[in-house]
């Protein structure tokens, strides 16, 4: 356990990324998803990350019934840009998770100084929520170094949730070296660093041990979100992050399965997924969506498909 920057939030260095259990990915029944969250909690994970767009608050709400809320750190993120949309997102989170407060409330997918500027009213509203005790800390998630650099201008922001892996997969505007340097500086200034995509959305899966260890060895990373959807994945990651040992047996079971994005053949070629993807990782060819090798398996394109034909499995 350690602190997330200067927020006072004490978290396990492994954060349970919950997108994996949603209808856009494994589509687990609520009881099964909640059982996995509870299993991770029993094994020492106290940090759980979700987002309004994941539409999965019910899993966490169910799991929270079996947890000590005071020991759990919940993170969620939204696309609010002003007071009204902030209030709506906070209410959705509080009601959806059935909790009186959110530990870490973030702006989702920020890109640059300009997007942060455009969301400033939301940040100011988050600060009011914090003063009233509805949220404990404020953050932003990003795939951009320019955004990481720009957060200094916003004293409300206490935590950054950047894409971060040893090959720099998914970083939109520069190298892993530049992102590392930026995060190191932010951390030295007291910003909490809570990274994501240590396995580059599955591209580094074959070299999972080395890739996860690399992120763990960066001492300016306070915690890392890893998406999990099975007991074996939880065992593997808990053993590695919390006990510094590799669970070979769990590894064998996990790595028989290669994750991929599939598009059902009833795709109508509308292009919504293409417009939604920030990685330019999907295109419409001959009337049907087709992912390419830039795909980081985030599953966000699935949320805008009118035919529900995209899945990450
Ligand atoms: S959003 Fe769905 S239906 Fe539209 S092109 Fe993409 S996969 Fe096909
Ligand atoms: S194609 Fe979909 S899953 Fe792949 S990176 Fe783009 S939005 Fe994410």
């Amino acid at each position: 356990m350690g602190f997330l920057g200067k927020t006072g939030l004490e978290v396990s260095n492994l954060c349970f990324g919950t997108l994996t259990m949603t209808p856009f990915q494994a589509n687990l029944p609520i009881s099964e998803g909640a059982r996995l969250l509870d299993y991770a909690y029993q094994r020492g994970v106290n940090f759980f990350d979700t987002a309004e767009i994941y539409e999965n608050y019910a899993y966490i709400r169910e799991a929270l019934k079996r947890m000590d809320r005071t020991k759990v750190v919940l993170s969620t993120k939204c696309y609010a840009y002003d007071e009204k949309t902030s209030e709506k997102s906070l209410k959705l989170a509080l009601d959806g998770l059935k909790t009186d407060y959110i530990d870490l409330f973030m702006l989702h997918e920020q890109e640059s100084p300009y997007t942060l500027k455009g969301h400033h009213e939301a940040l100011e509203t988050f600060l009011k929520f914090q003063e009233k005790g509805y949220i404990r800390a404020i953050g932003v998630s990003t795939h951009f170094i320019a955004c990481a650099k720009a957060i200094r201008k916003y004293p409300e922001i206490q935590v950054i949730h950047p894409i971060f892996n040893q090959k720099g997969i998914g970083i939109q505007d520069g190298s892993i070296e530049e992102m590392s340097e930026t995060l190191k500086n932010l951390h030295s200034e007291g910003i909490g660093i809570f990274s994501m995509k240590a396995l580059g959305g599955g591209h580094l899966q074959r070299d999972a041990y080395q890739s996860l260890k690399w992120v763990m060895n960066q001492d300016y990373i306070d915690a890392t979100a890893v998406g999990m959807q099975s007991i074996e994945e939880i065992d593997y990651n808990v053993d590695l992050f919390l006990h510094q040992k590799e669970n070979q047996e769990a590894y064998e079971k996990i790595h028989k399965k290669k994750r991929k994005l599939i598009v059902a053949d009833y795709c109508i070629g509308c292009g919504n997924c293409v417009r939604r993807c920030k990685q330019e990782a999907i295109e419409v060819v001959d009337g049907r969506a087709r992912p390419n090798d830039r795909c980081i398996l985030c599953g966000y394109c699935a949320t805008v498909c009118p035919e529900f034909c995209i899945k990450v499995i």
Side-chain angles (χ1 to χ4, degrees), residues 34-91:
R35 187 179 76 89
L36 293 178
L37 296 171
D38 187 42
Y39 180 75
Y41 174 71
Q42 298 299 337
R43 290 218 57 200
V45 176
N46 80 327
F47 192 12
F48 299 90
D49 178 61
T50 179
E52 189 173 311
I53 191 183
Y54 300 171
E55 296 178 18
N56 72 348
Y57 289 159
Y59 294 95
I60 300 168
R61 181 174 69 228
E62 187 59 28
L64 278 176
K65 291 178 186 166
R66 298 193 282 273
M67 298 175 183
D68 177 349
R69 176 68 184 94
T70 62
K71 295 200 168 83
V72 171
V73 173
L74 292 180
S75 156
T76 191
K77 36 204 181 297
C78 65
Y79 297 106
Y81 49 87
D82 61 8
E83 185 173 354
K84 206 168 152 201
T85 48
S86 301
E87 282 168 356
K88 192 171 164 213
S89 289
L90 177 70
K91 185 168 169 17

Side-chain angles (χ1 to χ4, degrees), residues 7 20 35 38 70 91 159 163 169 209 229:
T7 59
T20 40
R35 187 179 76 89
D38 187 42
T70 62
K91 185 168 169 17
V159 175
I163 193 159
I169 294 168
Y209 176 74
Q229 51 180 246

Side-chain angles (χ1 to χ4, degrees), residues 263 267-273 289 305-307 309-310:
V263 179
C267 163
I268 57 170
C270 70
N272 276 4
C273 53
C305 176
E307 304 296 316
C309 52
I310 302 180

Side-chain angles (χ1 to χ4, degrees), residues 261-264 266-276 282-284 287-290 301-311:
L261 182 142
I262 52 166
V263 179
Y266 48 86
C267 163
I268 57 170
C270 70
N272 276 4
C273 53
V274 179
R275 288 183 285 278
R276 179 64 181 84
I282 193 163
E283 52 207 318
V284 174
R288 188 169 154 191
R290 187 190 293 168
C301 52
T303 66
V304 297
C305 176
E307 304 296 316
F308 304 101
C309 52
I310 302 180
K311 253 192 199 309

Side-chain angles (χ1 to χ4, degrees), residues 181-192:
E181 202 50 38
T182 305
L183 297 179
K184 214 179 285 181
N185 290 336
L186 288 173
H187 195 251
S188 69
E189 292 163 23
I191 299 292

Side-chain angles (χ1 to χ4, degrees), residues 103-123:
D103 299 276
L104 176 59
F105 202 60
M106 298 195 283
L107 287 178
H108 204 162
E109 290 193 276
Q110 293 297 292
E111 295 179 1
S112 67
Y114 308 106
T115 38
L116 282 173
K117 196 172 171 192
H119 290 74
H120 193 205
E121 187 177 325
L123 285 172

